[in-house]
Amino acid sequence: MVYGIDETTADRIRSWRDHGYRVTVMTGVAWGRYAPYLRGDFDGKEHWNETQQEKSGKLILHSGREVPYIAPSLSYGRYLAQGVEAAIDAGAEAIYLEEPEFWARAGWSDSFKHEWLVYYHEPWQEPDSSPDAQYRASKLKYFLYRRALAQVFDAVRTYAASKHRVPCYVATHSLINYAQWKIVSPESSLLDVGADGYIAQVWTGTSRTPNVYNGVTKQRTFETAFLEYGALENIARSSGKSIWYLNDPIEDNPNHSWVDYRTNWESTLTASLLQPGVARYEILPWPERIFGPKSMHPVSEQTEANPNPEKSLIPKQYETELQTVFHALNEMEQPASAIRWESAGTQGIGVLVSDTLMFQRVAPQPSDENLGQFYGLALPLLMRGMPVEPVQIESAYSKSAAGFLNPYKLLLLTYEGQKPPSPKFHSALAAWVRAGGALIVLDDDRDPYNKATDWWNSQGNHFATPRDHLFRVLGLPPSATGIHAVGKGYVLYESQSPAALTYLPDGGNRVYDLVQRAAKSAHLSLKETNALVLRRGPYVVAAGLDKDPGASPQAFAHPATVTGDLINLFDADLFESSEVAVQPGTRALLLDVNYFKTSTPRILAASAKITAEHASAGSLAFEAGGIDQTNAVVRILSTKSPREITVNGKHLDPGQYSQSGRTLLLHFVNTATPQQIQLFF
């Protein structure tokens, strides 16, 4: 994947193609080395006024004056289109547009003022002058990047039509993260404007963002990652389009330690693998910052006593572990019959979210800083082992997603911090309830953005809040607190703020009490557990949950236990055991040898790319290639001890392999050029 469109793109594409690679191109949408456009080389006009700008006049820059965040105009869309057309000419087989991002604190540039006039047919208003102005500014930001992406995708379709189809994808953070980081992006709209799929850019950098639960503010990397990956998978599921999960072993902050990177990477990876609907991954973005000769990072976290810890290259064990896992990710697409939850709480529960979650994040009256309106509903369920899903409101009424809500048994909704983009959602939601769904609405109606100008209070509608309209469609009065039957389903309404509850020591319990009440009425049995354990063919993915004070004592009485002939892929020596206890905080990726009923020798796991594998009655041959001079560790299914092993024709010292039970373990040194390995039994 060649990054960026500039005068060097064609040469870089050619270089990789000359080495036998299939080449795609990724370039930033909101920023990039686009000085020729800004200076006027593209169309004879300078475009510096398209830099996103704060109220103070401060320009929002990505990396220096010539790499600003852009408020995209039509001419900017044409510039990007021209750049990707040149990349296609040079041999790019796919186009990835990265991170369409408009900062919520922006909205004061001349370019944005002009776009406001064109879009709303009235003079620009300062976004922080009222909730209505801020909401409308966010809608415009959303539209501008949706338009820019559509321009590029349309251009690619037209340009490549006479040659060959060139798919287009968007690499994007999750709605959850963008909302918390106060960025507006056309999240659920990306597939509507022509994207063929997503890269879900979730990693330590996003998932370590703190949130509040039961009054405690802290990083919850695993839980946040689980919800972030789930949000993007939910959007992709509604369209059937492709999605890849980013798997980055490091983060943008270079000052954390290798220990910190490894611990958090294992948490985000585990969270991604617990999403059974996805089996594609993007590994090693910016590989030089992980394995490069200058990629020095602290060996321990900074402390007051040790503010400048020693730095080192990547530790050998982490280096080996990463290569093992990268190759295992190739095998995650398993038959549906081979995928099952071994430990999980009640499934089919979701928290409804809209792209408008990004519209209320800054002055004059921002929604909760820690996004409690979402986490306050999701964490009480996830902390009890229920694999809750963020459910995209926009997909519920999409023409391409018929029956989108059908898999869910219980949904939670608030309009605190977000608003429904269309009344069509209420029709779809009401139909789902009447068919037997249980809906919990938690909202105190005090959100000042209820007064923002939108469909529920304009165009002939006069509802004080969008919730009022929902209840009208459900056939309930707005004040209908408590639980009510609606068709075959139920609606439970409580006039409370979910964000406010997150700051209370028993806030999670209060939300869960509502879930229990709604579930009882709907005859939905609730199950709690202290671990999430998912089997994907031979692979076992496990995460131990921190004990929730309000959770059922029975659920946390004993740690979940995984049994089998288990190889630990997070261990550099591929440790093998018969049992793994999933304690709180455990993150595990295991391979169960018992899944394989054959006695024919085969590769089970390796910190090298295995090709040309061939087994016969008395031998096993394969090729192994990896990052040069790293440790190759290979575990092989074999009940027999080998009488001889050769690597490129040279005998492997007996001290470099051992056989126990049904497996054989090999150690040797990787080379970039694949080595021929032969075993004779």
Side-chain angles (χ1 to χ4, degrees), residues 2 57 77 106 146 260 397 414 513 654 659:
V2 166
R146 177 178 169 138
D260 180 271
Y397 54 90
T414 187
D513 285 347
Q659 202 274 337

Side-chain angles (χ1 to χ4, degrees), residues 153-168:
F153 294 151
D154 288 347
V156 170
R157 299 279 187 275
T158 303
Y159 191 75
S162 61
K163 303 178 181 182
H164 54 86
R165 186 175 181 275
V166 177
C168 296

Side-chain angles (χ1 to χ4, degrees), residues 387-555:
V388 61
E389 297 180 36
V391 179
Q392 192 74 30
I393 283 173
E394 287 82 351
S395 297
Y397 54 90
S398 168
K399 292 180 180 178
S400 62
F404 175 73
L405 295 178
N406 291 351
Y408 302 102
K409 304 167 187 173
L410 189 150
L411 293 170
L412 294 91
L413 172 67
T414 187
Y415 285 145
E416 177 183 311
Q418 65 177 1
K419 301 294 170 282
S422 168
K424 294 178 182 178
F425 168 61
H426 289 165
S427 299
L429 185 60
W432 172 82
V433 171
R434 291 191 175 97
L439 174 67
I440 298 173
V441 180
L442 199 61
D443 199 321
D444 63 7
D445 293 339
R446 294 182 181 177
D447 188 336
Y449 283 79
N450 284 326
K451 294 182 173 61
T453 304
D454 214 324
W455 61 265
W456 62 88
N457 54 24
S458 60
Q459 302 167 12
N461 286 324
H462 303 284
F463 295 93
T465 73
R467 187 188 66 78
D468 288 356
H469 179 270
L470 170 62
F471 276 42
R472 169 75 65 84
V473 175
L474 288 166
L476 297 172
S479 59
T481 56
I483 196 155
H484 304 271
V486 177
K488 296 179 181 178
Y490 294 87
V491 175
L492 172 56
Y493 170 52
E494 191 79 13
S495 180
Q496 291 194 66
S497 158
L501 289 176
T502 65
Y503 296 95
L504 301 179
D506 66 341
N509 294 347
R510 294 193 191 187
V511 172
Y512 191 62
D513 285 347
L514 297 176
V515 172
Q516 289 179 307
R517 286 172 59 192
K520 183 178 180 180
S521 295
H523 305 290
L524 172 62
S525 176
L526 293 180
K527 176 187 175 184
E528 301 175 39
T529 182
N530 58 5
L532 291 169
V533 180
L534 179 71
R535 287 190 178 258
R536 304 178 66 141
Y539 295 96
V540 186
V541 189
L545 302 168
D546 292 338
K547 185 172 182 179
D548 189 300
S552 162
Q554 294 79 15

Side-chain angles (χ1 to χ4, degrees), residues 42 108 112 139 152 184 265 280 292 308 312 335 339 370 395 453 473 494-495 498 501 513 528 552 600 605 641 657 661:
F42 170 64
W108 273 263
F112 188 74
K139 288 180 72 172
V152 178
V184 178
W265 169 76
R280 301 176 182 216
N308 296 299
S312 73
I339 300 174
N370 296 296
S395 297
T453 304
V473 175
E494 191 79 13
S495 180
L501 289 176
D513 285 347
E528 301 175 39
S552 162
T600 304
S641 296
Y657 59 89

